[in-house]
Amino acid sequence: MEGYEEVFVDGLYRIQNGRDYYYAVLLRKHDDDKVLPVFIGAPEAMAIQMALNNIRFKRPLTHDLLVSVLDSLGVSVSKVTIDAVIEGIYTATLVLKDENTNKEKWYIDARPSDSIVIALKTNSPIYVSMKLENHFVPKEIFLEDFEE
Amino acid sequence: MEGYEEVFVDGLYRIQNGRDYYYAVLLRKHDDDKVLPVFIGAPEAMAIQMALNNIRFKRPLTHDLLVSVLDSLGVSVSKVTIDAVIEGIYTATLVLKDENTNKEKWYIDARPSDSIVIALKTNSPIYVSMKLENHFVPKEIFLEDFEE
């Protein structure tokens, strides 16, 4: 995918700041140790953690419902892309394809957190725009800055 | 809808139990004061609260993403139904219709909490199966049992 680089979920970190907790999911490139830290809320962190560990509840959670809707409609997730940063917030796109034609057809504006959960649940690739290259940091630097 | 009765969201209650909080959304029939209390988690309670108050964030939350996916795919929510109770947990169905034919076509298993958020966000009706008639309680009784 031109102008984009594939990443995978390296891990999820909980960061303490006084009495508050923040969560960051680290997206890592395949060929080096640089990571893109994406800060997310607690419910999204829980959803990512459960997706990473393949934990499923008896009843469908919200992202399971979304995947189930897509399945029913004959639509599948082609990929998710992290495209830009606006006022410190990353934007993402859920790229959907028609299962009949196998062609990408729908591009849905989404948060990175939801996109990552859905990518994990559907085994879809995650891409980051090369415009965000300078937001990647060496993993050791991130870990030093935010001790778990 | 045969065997079902329409309800609306009467309110959302936070219930304290020692140091823990529980949330219940009350579904009320149009013609009497009986309510069906549906216990839900904190993230779902927050989503329902925001939907009730028409609060929208800059970025789409998970249920907004689901509604946005449906819009893009030419599918709309016809209604949501609360159908049964299994081991103390209510089950629900998201009923979707094809916008081209205006016919109900897809029936998706869901939790009541997600279904209610989506009904509120899409102005769709909520129905409860008459099999659940004996789960309705007078609102005063519910409020006495669980003081806010």
Side-chain angles (χ1 to χ4, degrees):
Chain A
M1 198 195 172
E2 213 178 333
Y4 280 79
E5 200 156 11
E6 192 173 354
V7 294
F8 62 94
V9 177
D10 186 77
L12 183 68
Y13 289 84
R14 190 171 80 157
I15 297 146
Q16 193 164 5
N17 183 351
R19 289 177 64 180
D20 292 328
Y21 289 106
Y22 297 89
Y23 296 86
V25 56
L26 301 191
L27 299 177
R28 189 152 75 86
K29 295 184 197 180
H30 286 273
D31 59 355
D32 73 17
D33 79 330
K34 279 189 166 178
V35 293
L36 181 72
V38 179
F39 290 88
I40 59 176
E44 291 76 22
M46 205 170 86
I48 288 178
Q49 188 69 59
M50 290 195 305
L52 281 171
N53 295 328
N54 248 317
I55 296 171
R56 293 191 78 84
F57 281 102
K58 272 190 189 171
R59 300 296 302 146
L61 300 184
T62 312
H63 295 96
D64 298 320
L65 176 60
L66 180 40
V67 171
S68 164
V69 163
L70 294 175
D71 279 351
S72 299
L73 298 173
V75 167
S76 64
V77 180
S78 176
K79 63 193 170 218
V80 307
T81 60
I82 300 183
D83 311 298
V85 59
I86 299 173
E87 296 171 15
I89 309 284
Y90 291 109
T91 66
T93 305
L94 196 61
V95 182
L96 304 177
K97 68 179 172 193
D98 187 327
E99 279 175 2
N100 282 324
T101 61
N102 209 30
K103 286 214 174 113
E104 291 182 356
K105 198 166 164 189
W106 300 281
Y107 299 81
I108 321 279
D109 179 39
R111 295 180 298 170
S113 55
D114 287 329
S115 306
I116 292 167
V117 178
I118 290 163
L120 290 170
K121 283 187 182 283
T122 58
N123 288 313
S124 311
I126 303 170
Y127 291 89
V128 174
S129 168
M130 280 168 164
K131 289 183 296 180
L132 299 173
E133 186 60 36
N134 59 344
H135 293 263
F136 280 83
V137 292
K139 190 175 171 184
E140 318 83 74
I141 303 288
F142 172 81
L143 294 180
E144 279 168 24
D145 284 355
F146 299 100
E147 277 300 323
E148 204 185 353
Chain B
M1 198 195 173
E2 214 180 333
Y4 280 79
E5 199 155 12
E6 192 173 354
V7 293
F8 62 95
V9 177
D10 185 77
L12 184 68
Y13 290 83
R14 189 172 82 157
I15 297 144
Q16 194 164 5
N17 183 352
R19 290 178 61 180
D20 292 329
Y21 288 106
Y22 297 90
Y23 296 87
V25 56
L26 302 192
L27 299 177
R28 188 152 75 87
K29 295 185 199 181
H30 287 272
D31 59 354
D32 73 17
D33 80 327
K34 279 188 164 178
V35 293
L36 181 73
V38 178
F39 290 88
I40 58 176
E44 290 77 20
M46 206 170 85
I48 288 177
Q49 187 69 58
M50 290 194 306
L52 281 173
N53 296 328
N54 249 316
I55 297 170
R56 295 189 77 84
F57 280 102
K58 273 190 190 173
R59 301 294 303 143
L61 301 183
T62 313
H63 295 97
D64 299 319
L65 175 60
L66 181 38
V67 171
S68 164
V69 163
L70 294 175
D71 280 350
S72 300
L73 297 173
V75 168
S76 64
V77 179
S78 175
K79 64 192 171 220
V80 308
T81 60
I82 301 186
D83 310 299
V85 58
I86 298 171
E87 296 172 14
I89 308 285
Y90 291 108
T91 66
T93 305
L94 197 60
V95 182
L96 305 177
K97 67 180 174 194
D98 188 326
E99 279 175 3
N100 282 324
T101 61
N102 208 29
K103 287 215 174 115
E104 291 182 354
K105 197 166 162 190
W106 300 281
Y107 299 82
I108 320 279
D109 180 39
R111 295 179 299 169
S113 55
D114 287 329
S115 305
I116 292 167
V117 178
I118 290 162
L120 290 171
K121 282 185 182 286
T122 59
N123 288 314
S124 311
I126 305 171
Y127 292 90
V128 174
S129 168
M130 280 169 164
K131 289 183 295 180
L132 300 173
E133 186 60 37
N134 59 344
H135 292 264
F136 280 83
V137 292
K139 193 177 170 185
E140 317 85 72
I141 302 289
F142 172 81
L143 294 180
E144 278 169 24
D145 284 357
F146 299 101
E147 278 300 324
E148 204 184 355

